[in-house]
Amino acid sequence: MTESRSVHTPTMIVDAELCAAGITAQIVRFDIPEPTDNRHAVAAGYHVNMCLTPRPLESRGGYRERWGPHRFERLGDIFVIPPGESLYIRGGSGRQASLVCTIDTSLVHDLLGRDLPWDDAHLAAALDIGSAQVRALLFRITAEVRHPGLASQRMLELLGSELAIELVRYGLEVSERPMTGGLSGWRLRLIEERLANDLTAPPLKELADSCGLSVRQLTRGFRVSRACSIGDYIEQRRMEAAKRLLMEGESVKTIAFAMGFASPSSFTFAFRRAVGASPSTFRQRQGRALGSMASVAA
């Protein structure tokens, strides 16, 4: 269920869907005509969302009933809403495509023999999931939904079970984080600003110096704060920027050199590894999808 405070509500079109025991996976296109403040309520199951195109700028999420009306955290490429929770999402206008999976609650909780503890730390960590394992599984699910093959439902069932395991592992990792040792808010903001203002990959020494820390303190503190390595996080943010530039029409060569790659081929290799498709395939695929949405809206 989605409630919008905007006069012009977002439009959602399901391009493809595949269902199996314990999981439903959809490729969905959204047309967001103006900045929004939407409530996404999940009654049952785990809602897993991976953006296949760049999210609208300044996309943020907050659990208003838990955190109050003013706390909003950055919404990453992958986020999860647990059952029974309501996530409020703010962001700019635009069109985007996402993989949306709903996983049965029992598939997750049976692994633990109990419910996952969705306290503030777990809710915040679920807004930007940096797990490479979760990302790889979602790419495989996306490919299966787009092009179902032999025994596709069985394959989706197996992938859904793996995804449930990785989500539980991610939740346990958050539970096992030290109570202290994470980076302070101002240090995290410095890192975000550097990544937003410069497409090149920053040396860890540069980030550590700006934060007044050693490289070891920086890497350990970042993992405590974000539940992923700082190297993986930098790569994810850079590929988000690359996807945005591709959708804006920039050439692969221009993007490659702006991001500090030695050649377009090295950028293409990194992009394919992170996104699951080459830059040209990504642009063509998403351009067709979003173009179809524009024609439907017209």
Side-chain angles (χ1 to χ4, degrees):
M1 174 182 177
T2 300
E3 297 175 3
S4 175
R5 298 187 176 192
S6 172
V7 175
H8 302 94
T9 57
T11 302
M12 184 182 83
I13 297 174
V14 178
D15 269 348
E17 179 178 282
L18 190 61
C19 301
I23 181 171
T24 298
Q26 299 174 320
I27 295 177
V28 181
R29 287 178 284 143
F30 299 92
D31 185 6
I32 307 169
E34 62 180 27
T36 56
D37 184 352
N38 297 334
R39 175 176 174 263
H40 297 258
V42 178
Y46 281 85
H47 175 102
V48 184
N49 183 301
M50 180 175 74
C51 199
L52 302 173
T53 56
R55 289 201 187 281
L57 292 172
E58 299 302 320
S59 293
R60 294 184 173 274
Y63 288 93
R64 191 168 293 168
E65 287 82 3
R66 299 269 207 135
W67 298 348
H70 304 299
R71 180 183 172 187
F72 280 79
E73 304 283 347
R74 179 181 175 276
L75 208 59
D77 264 5
I78 302 171
F79 69 84
V80 174
I81 308 176
E85 297 291 343
S86 295
L87 177 66
Y88 291 80
I89 297 178
R90 291 177 178 173
S93 60
R95 297 196 302 272
Q96 71 173 74
S98 294
L99 172 71
V100 178
C101 297
T102 301
I103 302 176
D104 286 358
T105 304
S106 60
L107 198 61
V108 176
H109 293 175
D110 287 353
L111 293 167
L112 274 178
R114 56 182 172 82
D115 293 357
L116 280 172
W118 287 100
D119 54 20
D120 281 1
H122 286 81
L123 289 174
L127 293 180
D128 187 2
I129 293 184
S131 166
Q133 291 78 13
V134 170
R135 186 177 299 271
L137 284 169
L138 292 176
F139 279 140
R140 290 191 63 192
I141 291 172
T142 301
E144 198 65 33
V145 175
R146 278 200 175 115
H147 306 289
L150 174 67
S152 59
Q153 289 183 313
R154 178 60 175 157
M155 176 63 77
L156 180 62
E157 182 180 350
L158 293 171
L159 292 172
S161 296
E162 287 188 61
L163 181 58
I165 291 170
E166 291 299 342
L167 290 177
V168 169
R169 288 179 175 179
Y170 184 82
L172 292 176
E173 183 179 349
V174 173
S175 299
E176 292 165 3
R177 288 185 199 172
M179 296 300 293
T180 60
L183 298 183
S184 59
W186 69 268
R187 288 187 169 110
L188 291 172
R189 285 192 296 273
L190 274 179
I191 294 171
E192 291 289 348
E193 289 169 4
R194 168 60 177 82
L195 297 177
N197 296 331
D198 190 339
L199 295 178
T200 61
L204 293 184
K205 183 68 165 58
E206 174 194 325
L207 295 179
D209 288 346
S210 66
C211 291
L213 300 170
S214 68
V215 170
R216 180 179 173 135
Q217 289 172 320
L218 173 72
T219 54
R220 293 180 65 181
F222 191 90
R223 181 173 286 279
V224 169
S225 296
R226 292 286 191 241
C228 68
S229 75
I230 190 169
D232 285 346
Y233 187 79
I234 290 171
E235 192 68 7
Q236 290 167 23
R237 293 298 309 278
R238 276 158 49 81
M239 291 304 117
E240 286 178 32
K243 287 191 286 187
R244 196 175 301 281
L245 291 171
L246 285 167
M247 297 307 295
E248 291 172 359
E250 292 288 350
S251 70
V252 171
K253 182 177 179 180
T254 298
I255 297 171
F257 291 133
M259 295 184 71
F261 285 92
S263 66
S265 60
S266 59
F267 163 67
T268 297
F269 178 82
F271 189 90
R272 187 192 297 275
R273 181 182 59 194
V275 179
S278 70
S280 58
T281 299
F282 170 83
R283 175 153 47 199
Q284 291 167 4
R285 182 183 294 158
Q286 304 311 327
R288 284 196 301 268
L290 298 182
S292 298
M293 170 166 276
S295 63
V296 170

